[in-house]
Amino acid sequence: MASNSVLYRCSLLSYQYTSAATIIVGRRTVAISGNGYRACKPIRLARNCCSYSCSYPNPNPNDSAFVVANDKKYGNKQNISLTPRLYDYILSNVREPEILRQLREETASMRGSQMQVSPDQAQLLAMLVQILGAKRCIELGVYTGYSSLAVALVLPDSACLVACERDAKSLEVAKKYYELAGVSHKVDVKHGMAADILKSLILNGESCSYDFAFVDAEKRMNQEYFELLLQLVRVDGVIVIDNVLWHGKVADPLVNDAKTVSIRSFNKNIMEDPRVSISMVPIGDGMTICRKR
């Protein structure tokens, strides 16, 4: 193992340090230096967890760890990195309804289960919907329905969630759980391509009538989805985009596959877009929360 190497793998992310930085592990400090230093290659984990390795003898993987930006203008602010113990603690403080737990466990045995949002992500989405007092919502990329079910559970009975998914097999699982949870009357299931469904809603005269949207579909289509949703969501409405950190690949200049480049470009575009206020949140695989101005 190379000296002074530190590997963090958190919530399906591989954090890569491409410039000099300081890592604080417990009460120990590890300095990483050198331009273009790559601490690790992107690794996608089978479960949401965090681990690290370093040159210090016998590091405890359950120690709390902090990252300090190398740029002194950030004032040596310590930012926490999730360890297995800390993430387990976070999950133990998530209020996950029993029906969501059942869906999560069933989905875990299915192909593509890594696409399901984590319980802490779903709890945040549900809270945003409640804060907004949302009554009309859209989700792009339902998969088996964990995030859409979390949202539907907190919506009032008169509300509507348009749930768009192109895969019929996974959509059947979602519909089963909507029924079991007693929220089917709140969910308008749309089987098809997300962009086509959004265009049909606009043509149907539904512009500026939605309060909240969650995007977790084809990543290379994010910019198109965003433009269409800006037409459908009202002023002060919220659009949330998932996977904006893309397992840490967006921060690695040596990774330039089509999907990573697309997400990186979208992140740059939305950062400069005056039509929205934004906050990129490092939860799960990264989410950007946008409020339409």
Side-chain angles (χ1 to χ4, degrees):
M1 182 180 296
S3 63
N4 293 339
S5 65
V6 179
L7 169 64
Y8 289 89
R9 299 179 295 185
C10 305
S11 302
L12 299 179
L13 298 179
S14 293
Y15 289 95
Q16 303 182 13
Y17 300 96
T18 57
S19 60
T22 300
I23 309 297
I24 298 177
V25 181
R27 296 183 179 179
R28 302 184 295 278
T29 300
V30 183
I32 296 179
S33 61
N35 292 330
Y37 183 87
R38 297 183 69 221
C40 62
K41 294 174 66 178
I43 298 174
R44 192 165 195 166
L45 303 184
R47 61 182 293 270
N48 285 353
C49 67
C50 170
S51 64
Y52 64 80
S53 59
C54 71
S55 59
Y56 275 86
N58 303 317
N60 181 354
N62 282 316
D63 279 349
S64 61
F66 297 88
V67 178
V68 179
N70 190 56
D71 190 336
K72 298 301 182 184
K73 288 182 286 187
Y74 287 95
N76 293 318
K77 176 66 179 178
Q78 296 180 359
N79 297 294
I80 198 162
S81 251
L82 294 185
T83 61
R85 178 180 294 164
L86 184 54
Y87 189 60
D88 286 343
Y89 179 79
I90 290 171
L91 291 177
S92 73
N93 282 276
V94 172
R95 296 176 179 176
E96 182 182 45
E98 175 63 20
I99 191 67
L100 282 178
R101 183 193 64 77
Q102 292 173 17
L103 172 55
R104 173 170 55 80
E105 292 181 354
E106 179 172 334
T107 303
S109 64
M110 295 176 58
R111 182 170 175 265
S113 60
Q114 74 278 1
M115 294 189 293
Q116 179 176 262
V117 302
S118 58
D120 46 326
Q121 282 182 289
Q123 181 175 252
L124 176 59
L125 294 173
M127 177 170 282
L128 289 172
V129 166
Q130 289 176 304
I131 291 170
L132 280 169
K135 294 183 179 179
R136 288 173 61 81
C137 304
I138 302 174
E139 177 165 319
L140 308 184
V142 169
Y143 186 44
T144 60
Y146 190 88
S147 52
S148 55
L149 180 55
V151 168
L153 285 169
V154 300
L155 286 174
D157 279 340
S158 59
C160 177
L161 167 64
V162 176
C164 311
E165 174 59 50
R166 67 182 181 181
D167 182 69
K169 185 176 180 180
S170 60
L171 196 54
E172 286 304 312
V173 177
K175 290 194 288 187
K176 178 180 76 172
Y177 277 89
Y178 298 152
E179 187 68 33
L180 288 172
V183 298
S184 292
H185 62 290
K186 304 180 193 178
V187 185
D188 182 7
V189 174
K190 303 280 191 183
H191 178 217
M193 303 300 289
D196 293 338
I197 294 168
L198 295 181
K199 290 173 185 175
S200 70
L201 295 177
I202 293 168
L203 289 173
N204 196 42
E206 299 183 41
S207 295
C208 298
S209 67
Y210 287 87
D211 306 298
F212 176 86
F214 178 51
V215 180
D216 190 14
E218 170 54 50
K219 308 309 169 189
R220 282 171 289 190
M221 295 286 288
N222 276 350
Q223 191 66 50
E224 182 173 356
Y225 297 149
F226 182 69
E227 295 298 332
L228 293 168
L229 286 170
L230 275 180
Q231 297 180 57
L232 288 163
V233 170
R234 63 171 172 82
V235 172
D236 290 330
V238 168
I239 302 170
V240 180
I241 302 95
D242 198 16
N243 303 111
V244 294
L245 297 181
W246 200 232
H247 326 304
K249 295 179 183 180
V250 291
D252 187 346
L254 298 181
V255 178
N256 289 294
D257 61 276
K259 195 164 287 190
T260 302
V261 169
S262 175
I263 295 171
R264 190 182 291 141
S265 176
F266 173 74
N267 289 343
K268 182 178 184 295
N269 290 343
I270 206 169
M271 171 71 176
E272 299 171 351
D273 196 324
R275 298 172 295 175
V276 290
S277 304
I278 66 166
S279 179
M280 182 181 282
V281 183
I283 184 173
D285 194 18
M287 298 195 308
T288 295
I289 301 170
C290 309
R291 170 185 154 270
K292 180 178 174 181
R293 290 175 170 172

